[in-house]
Amino acid sequence: MSKTLIVANWKMHLNTHQASILLHRLDKHIKIHRDIEVVLAPSLLTLQPLSLEIDKRKFSLAAQNAYFKDEGAFTGEVSFSMLRDLADYAIIGHSERRIYFDEDLETVRDKVSAAVRNGITPILCVGETKHEKALGESKQVLHDQLVTALSNITSEDIEDIVLVYEPQWTITTFDGTPAKPDEAQKAIKFIRSQVRDLYGDKAAKAVRVLYGGSVDDQLAKGYLAVSGCDGLLVGSASLNYQTFANIVESAAEVQHKVEVKV
Ligand code: PGA
């Protein structure tokens, strides 16, 4: 059984000092769980100091973004190759990047390739907008996003990639409302079916698929209990150490129940 992944997306919050304070609080309140991986995604600026401070048995780090070229005259950008030793993961294709920074399907594809090329595991976010949902286009959107984003990914690499069903209409930034667990379940199942079509059954089973969007400590268990859901991407609730620690604890409880059943 793969580890449950709980990812904290701190977005453009917390300077280096504040991030360090939050890390220390999390460290106090989160226990090491064998079957759970807790990933923190601070700002790019904070990745480096945090990489020296974290207890690596407890936390991994993710970048929230990077540029797809490895180096060159790209003023203001940071490449995946520069993040090689700092981040294990990188969030790619987040709705805020697609919507606010006009990242299109091909940009997301190139970032996924660049991450893999540099030994960083993509946490690839996919999902439809509210408008696309209203038009009944959800499956088509997921299909297009996945097929393009994964087009340079080999069957060897796919099993390491993390996929997240995080539609724009569920994210607090966009005044989202959380998906119902059965909506998340259907989408996760569809995402796996797309991986199956592209890479076969083994890959579809191995790939980790998370849910994201308005997750808090009240809702976490409902999603984690969904069959096929391997974890959560948490935004605003991850800025509160108590809430985030509760989410991790919920994941441990759900894992324990599954183990007892097996
Ligand atoms: P939210 O954000 O939990 O605040 O909705 C999730 C995300 O954007 O990753």
Side-chain angles (χ1 to χ4, degrees):
M1 205 166 54
S2 65
K3 286 188 180 187
T4 301
L5 212 57
I6 307 291
V7 185
N9 179 6
W10 292 351
K11 308 194 180 185
M12 202 177 70
H13 295 290
L14 312 178
N15 62 26
T16 300
H17 178 63
Q18 293 163 330
S20 175
I21 292 173
L22 179 55
L23 173 69
H24 283 99
R25 290 194 173 138
L26 291 173
D27 195 50
K28 253 195 189 163
H29 287 83
I30 291 176
K31 290 189 225 122
I32 296 176
H33 294 288
R34 195 168 30 99
D35 300 320
I36 296 175
E37 185 172 357
V38 180
V39 181
L40 306 177
S43 76
L44 273 182
L45 181 70
T46 308
L47 261 181
Q48 207 273 339
L50 234 55
S51 74
L52 303 174
E53 285 180 46
I54 55 163
D55 178 345
K56 295 205 166 65
R57 296 167 306 162
K58 225 183 247 190
F59 303 107
S60 309
L61 291 176
Q64 294 175 22
N65 182 38
Y67 192 52
F68 55 79
K69 299 273 191 188
D70 282 344
E71 64 171 20
F74 301 103
T75 301
E77 292 299 302
V78 170
S79 68
F80 286 95
S81 68
M82 292 169 173
L83 298 174
R84 283 188 88 113
D85 301 323
L86 293 179
D88 301 300
Y89 295 91
I91 299 173
I92 299 175
H94 191 281
S95 293
E96 286 154 21
R97 299 229 42 103
R98 292 184 195 260
I99 293 167
Y100 294 151
F101 299 95
D102 296 325
E103 288 196 5
D104 59 14
L105 296 179
E106 288 72 27
T107 305
V108 172
R109 174 198 63 201
D110 292 346
K111 290 190 174 193
V112 169
S113 309
V116 171
R117 179 167 78 238
N118 285 290
I120 294 172
T121 300
I123 299 176
L124 171 63
C125 301
V126 292
E128 73 282 9
T129 62
K130 193 173 181 175
H131 183 62
E132 289 160 343
K133 183 175 191 248
L135 293 175
E137 292 174 353
S138 304
K139 283 190 175 172
Q140 189 59 47
V141 170
L142 286 174
H143 169 84
D144 293 349
Q145 289 179 347
L146 286 164
V147 168
T148 310
L150 299 176
S151 51
N152 295 328
I153 297 304
T154 65
S155 47
E156 262 166 36
D157 290 329
I158 186 69
E159 294 190 11
D160 289 331
I161 288 186
V162 177
L163 303 172
V164 189
Y165 176 58
E166 187 176 75
Q168 173 252 350
W169 55 270
T170 66
I171 302 175
T172 51
T173 318
F174 304 103
D175 293 326
T177 46
K180 297 191 187 81
D182 69 310
E183 290 176 296
Q185 179 163 10
K186 273 190 205 136
I188 288 172
K189 198 168 166 206
F190 181 75
I191 288 170
R192 273 190 211 285
S193 77
Q194 297 302 290
V195 175
R196 185 170 294 113
D197 289 350
L198 293 168
Y199 298 97
D201 209 36
K202 185 168 167 277
K205 283 191 183 128
V207 79
R208 286 171 292 175
V209 188
L210 319 185
Y211 167 76
S214 294
V215 175
D216 61 19
D217 53 353
Q218 304 301 308
L219 298 171
K221 263 195 194 163
Y223 298 118
L224 291 164
V226 157
S227 104
C229 179
D230 298 310
L232 301 167
L233 176 57
V234 186
S236 36
S238 72
L239 294 167
N240 179 309
Y241 69 90
Q242 195 61 65
T243 309
F244 189 68
N246 290 344
I247 293 172
V248 175
E249 216 33 59
S250 300
E253 283 168 29
V254 173
Q255 270 274 11
H256 181 67
K257 269 195 207 149
V258 175
E259 273 170 19
V260 171
K261 256 201 259 167
V262 175

